[in-house]
């Protein structure tokens, strides 16, 4: 839906979208609510599943809402742990009561937003929540997490931060709390090593364009606070504007003609991979545009070239096993891309939940210097087509390329390693994980002589790696007697460093023996209290 004026005459449409999407966790609706620059009064836009609300200005302040953009959890009895797949981007808000509520969990980015007040990240009633991600945003008031278990905030400004539960991580955030993990569990980096904000659609006069923000090194604060953001614009005429029903052949033909792709909201069935071969190509999805690989194919592949940008996509595994779902660079890729990396932003992967799905490895990163900025790679633990073998998926994210940076890595429930990192000089800022709930027995997860596969495994051959603010949780509700040896596994080398690690047993359903390798105290009993390691080795 695209508004044609700044009046409220059309606003019941926003309410209608919410009515359809409030509880449609595995539904087929996909929506982008796009607001032209201007001021809108008296709006409370409630945002449900597969809905993105976006401003069409060059900066957030160009599109201002005197009102709220709200996510709450009334549909799920006040529990926000399943408030997935929705986003708010490129808007400024003046909340009616001074505080905007954004009670979300995974795959729900809050990007390029300006809140002229406070931001509450918890549902009404302070029920559970398992978020989340903020980037390139300014919150003039205080961010109020309350019940949020974990959160990552990047390259932003906050007027204050109220509290922490298990794992709050900041990089390049003006106003962030000090570095005090584990009590309170704040992990704070002054800057982000490098970042490049997500491409976005905007209006330049009467013409639609896509803005490509510039690469920033040692970034701190928003990219737009100084006025006109740095970067370049592409005319919409440089894009093939795809619609549901377009085939992989059609999309690839457009790419081969030198066009970029803008995928409008919908579900795209693919009988072959979308292949991105040309440097600096943009593939941008709106409204959780969803790629479904049929017949066991890979959904998306890139060549080993500079500057490809993949953003705003949900990849949903099909019923026939795919060896991979997303491949960033071909096997053996080794070209350096430090000045113009591939960026993978708000690209989410799901195996099962909406129906039967299988994939051996969900996302493989082969290209050097790739920037993975906010992903949720999820083997479903509920919904349709869910079971230890039903939605089998051994590996979540496998990183083979060197010099890869992950900022905001959420990977959950895989049958073996959730993250396997084979490349040199990798870095991760914030990691959130739950081990697979549905493991049927201790034997089912046995990894040679080791009890269970680590959530995050750095290969023994790696000499240099670093991570900040990483957490793994277990909830072995099918076989609560399972003991998981550790959440993290890495070679004990001077160049392999971790800062601020935690493991948590949720209600005593399974336990961890250690945090990383044989270091760190075991979790114990039914108390959901983290076991922490401040630094390793």
């Amino acid at each position: 839906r695209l508004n044609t004026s700044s009046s409220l005459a059309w606003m019941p449409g926003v309410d209608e979208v919410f009515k359809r999407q409030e509880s449609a966790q595995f539904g087929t609706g996909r929506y982008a609510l796009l607001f032209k620059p201007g001021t809108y009064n008296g709006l409370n836009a409630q945002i449900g599943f597969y809905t993105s609300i976006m401003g069409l200005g060059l900066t957030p302040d160009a599109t201002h809402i005197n009102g709220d953009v709200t996510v709450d959890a009334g549909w799920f009895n006040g529990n926000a742990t399943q408030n997935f797949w929705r986003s708010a981007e490129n808007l400024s808000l003046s909340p009616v009561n001074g505080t905007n509520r954004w009670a979300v969990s995974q795959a729900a980015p809050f990007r390029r937003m300006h809140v002229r007040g406070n931001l509450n990240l918890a549902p009404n009633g302070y029920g559970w929540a398992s978020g989340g991600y903020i980037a390139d945003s300014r919150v003039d008031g205080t961010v109020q997490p309350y019940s949020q278990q974990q959160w990552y905030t990047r390259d932003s400004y906050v007027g204050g931060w109220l509290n922490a539960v298990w794992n709050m991580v900041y990089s390049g955030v003006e106003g962030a709390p000090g570095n005090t993990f584990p009590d309170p569990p704040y992990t704070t980096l002054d800057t982000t090593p490098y970042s490049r904000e997500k491409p976005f659609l905007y209006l330049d006069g009467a013409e639609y364009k896509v803005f490509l923000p510039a690469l920033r090194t040692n970034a701190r604060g928003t990219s737009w606070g100084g006025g006109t953001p740095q970067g370049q614009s592409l005319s919409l005429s440089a894009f093939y504007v795809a619609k549901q029903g377009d085939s992989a052949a059609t999309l690839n033909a457009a790419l081969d003609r030198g066009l970029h792709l803008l995928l409008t909201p919908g579900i795209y069935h693919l009988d072959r991979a979308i292949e991105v071969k040309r440097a600096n190509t943009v593939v941008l999805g709106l409204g959780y545009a969803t790629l479904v690989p049929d017949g066991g194919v890979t959904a998306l592949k890139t060549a080993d070239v500079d500057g490809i940008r993949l953003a705003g996509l949900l990849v949903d595994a099909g019923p026939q096993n795919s060896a991979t779902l997303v491949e960033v660079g071909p096997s053996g890729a080794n070209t350096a891309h430090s000045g113009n990396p591939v960026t993978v932003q708000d690209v989410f992967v799901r195996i099962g939940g909406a129906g039967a799905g299988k994939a051996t490895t969900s996302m493989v990163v082969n290209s050097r210097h790739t920037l993975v900025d906010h992903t949720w790679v999820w083997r479903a633990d509920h919904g349709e087509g869910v079971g230890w073998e039903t939605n089998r998926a051994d590996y979540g994210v496998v990183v083979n390329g060197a010099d890869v940076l992950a900022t905001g890595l959420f990977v959950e429930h895989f049958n073996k390693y959730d993250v396997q990192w084979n490349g040199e000089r990798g870095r991760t800022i914030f990691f959130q994980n739950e081990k697979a709930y549905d493991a049927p027995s201790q034997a089912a997860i046995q990894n040679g002589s080791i009890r269970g596969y680590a959530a995050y495994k750095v290969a023994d051959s790696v000499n240099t790696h670093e991570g900040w603010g990483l957490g793994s949780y277990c909830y072995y509700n099918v076989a609560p007697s399972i003991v998981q040896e550790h959440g993290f596994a890495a070679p004990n080398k001077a160049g392999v460093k971790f800062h601020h690690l935690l493991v948590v047993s949720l209600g005593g359903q399974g336990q961890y023996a250690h945090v990383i390798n044989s270091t760190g105290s075991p979790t114990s009993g039914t108390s959901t209290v983290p076991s922490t390691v401040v630094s390793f080795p």
Side-chain angles (χ1 to χ4, degrees):
R1 287 174 180 266
L2 181 64
N3 64 310
T4 55
S5 73
S6 58
S7 75
L8 291 183
W10 67 285
M11 287 305 173
V14 174
D15 293 339
E16 175 61 28
V17 169
F18 179 65
K19 191 182 300 181
R20 297 177 188 178
Q21 298 304 112
E22 179 183 12
S23 58
Q25 182 172 180
F26 298 111
T28 57
R30 301 288 186 273
Y31 295 91
L33 307 174
L34 306 178
F35 284 70
K36 290 182 177 180
T39 299
Y40 302 83
N41 297 312
L43 174 64
N44 178 20
Q46 298 182 83
I47 305 301
F49 286 100
Y50 313 110
T51 304
S52 297
I53 184 168
M54 303 174 174
L56 289 170
L58 191 56
T59 66
D61 289 329
T63 310
H64 184 66
I65 293 174
N66 287 312
D68 297 75
V69 171
T70 301
V71 177
D72 206 346
W75 74 277
F76 201 49
N77 300 314
N79 178 344
T81 60
Q82 293 183 22
N83 279 351
F84 313 138
W85 305 306
R86 64 199 75 198
S87 70
E89 304 180 47
N90 204 30
L91 294 164
S92 64
L93 310 173
S94 291
V96 169
N97 68 357
T99 300
N100 189 78
R101 185 184 302 278
W102 186 255
V104 298
S105 288
Q106 291 85 358
F110 197 80
R111 282 189 182 270
R112 202 178 180 80
M113 295 287 287
H114 183 188
V115 181
R116 303 180 191 187
N118 303 317
L119 183 63
N120 182 346
L121 304 179
N124 186 29
Y126 307 102
W128 294 336
S130 183
Y133 176 90
I134 293 170
D136 201 26
S137 293
R138 180 181 179 92
V139 179
D140 292 346
T142 301
V143 179
Q144 303 165 346
Y146 294 114
S147 56
Q148 277 289 354
Q149 294 165 355
Q150 70 279 316
W151 201 276
Y152 174 53
T153 308
R154 178 181 64 70
D155 300 349
S156 294
Y157 169 90
V158 297
W161 194 278
L162 184 66
N163 72 293
V165 176
W166 292 338
N167 191 30
M168 298 293 177
V169 180
Y170 316 83
S171 67
V173 178
E174 298 170 340
N179 200 26
T180 56
F181 185 93
D183 187 22
Y186 296 130
T187 299
T188 304
L189 287 73
D190 285 343
T191 62
T192 305
Y194 58 97
S195 60
R196 186 164 62 190
E197 299 305 330
K198 180 181 173 182
F200 61 92
L201 187 67
Y202 78 104
L203 267 173
D204 183 7
E207 184 185 0
Y208 284 97
K209 295 182 178 179
V210 173
F211 191 78
L212 308 180
L215 184 69
R216 305 167 74 197
T217 56
N218 298 316
R220 182 170 173 83
T222 68
S223 69
W224 48 269
T228 304
Q230 298 297 304
Q232 66 177 115
S233 293
L234 296 175
S235 169
L236 200 58
S237 64
F239 285 77
Y240 176 73
V241 179
K243 297 180 176 60
Q244 180 171 298
D246 282 345
S247 66
T250 298
L251 301 176
N252 282 328
L255 291 169
D256 289 344
R257 292 199 305 273
L259 294 173
H260 307 274
L261 295 182
L262 181 73
L263 280 72
T264 60
I267 297 174
Y268 297 77
H269 281 269
L270 307 173
D271 61 358
R272 69 193 76 172
I274 297 172
E275 297 195 52
V276 185
K277 304 172 185 175
R278 183 173 45 91
N280 301 310
T281 299
V282 179
V283 179
L284 175 61
L286 300 179
Y288 287 80
T290 301
L291 307 179
V292 181
D294 295 326
V297 303
T298 298
L300 188 59
K301 295 182 179 183
T302 70
D304 189 22
V305 295
D306 276 358
I308 290 171
R309 306 188 197 216
L310 309 176
L313 301 168
L314 173 60
V315 179
D316 207 355
Q320 187 170 334
N321 186 73
S322 293
T324 59
L325 293 172
V326 177
E327 292 182 15
V328 181
S331 178
N334 59 13
T335 304
H337 304 291
S338 57
N340 188 11
V342 176
T343 50
V344 180
Q345 299 177 284
D346 300 346
V347 174
F348 307 119
V349 177
R350 178 172 69 194
I351 300 96
K358 289 188 177 184
T360 304
T361 302
S362 297
M363 182 184 292
V364 182
V365 180
N366 293 316
S367 287
R368 286 185 63 187
H369 298 103
T370 297
L371 174 58
V372 180
D373 176 44
H374 191 224
T375 187
W376 185 38
V377 181
W378 184 61
R379 175 182 166 266
D381 61 277
H382 62 271
E384 297 286 327
V386 171
W388 183 248
E389 296 294 345
T390 308
N391 62 329
R392 180 89 195 185
D394 283 351
Y395 305 102
V397 175
V398 175
V399 179
N400 296 318
D403 307 292
V404 170
L405 172 64
T407 53
L409 187 59
F410 300 72
V411 188
E412 298 190 293
H413 305 308
F414 286 85
N415 295 76
K416 292 186 178 178
Y417 292 123
D418 299 276
V419 171
Q420 184 171 347
W421 207 297
N422 302 318
E424 282 288 355
R425 297 176 299 281
R427 290 176 288 182
T428 295
I429 305 172
F430 182 89
F431 171 69
Q432 187 266 331
N433 165 264
E434 288 178 352
K435 294 301 299 172
Y437 290 176
D438 55 349
S441 64
Q442 185 79 50
I445 63 164
Q446 192 67 18
N447 178 16
S449 62
I450 300 170
R451 293 176 292 181
Y453 289 80
Y456 188 107
K457 165 70 172 175
V458 179
D460 293 342
S461 60
V462 168
N463 294 307
T464 305
H465 189 91
E466 197 159 10
W468 296 262
L470 283 68
S472 176
Y473 319 150
C474 74
Y475 185 70
Y476 288 118
N477 62 330
V478 174
S481 63
I482 287 176
V483 175
Q484 174 80 26
E485 189 67 32
H486 40 226
F488 304 90
N492 197 337
K493 299 177 181 178
V496 177
K497 302 174 184 176
F498 286 94
H499 316 272
H500 305 179
L501 300 173
L502 69 147
V503 296
V504 183
S505 169
L506 303 179
Q509 303 292 296
Q511 303 291 344
Y512 291 91
H514 305 284
V515 179
I516 180 168
N517 296 353
S518 58
T519 299
S521 301
T523 57
S524 60
T526 58
S527 58
T528 304
V529 176
S531 177
T532 61
V533 168
V534 174
S535 63
F536 177 88

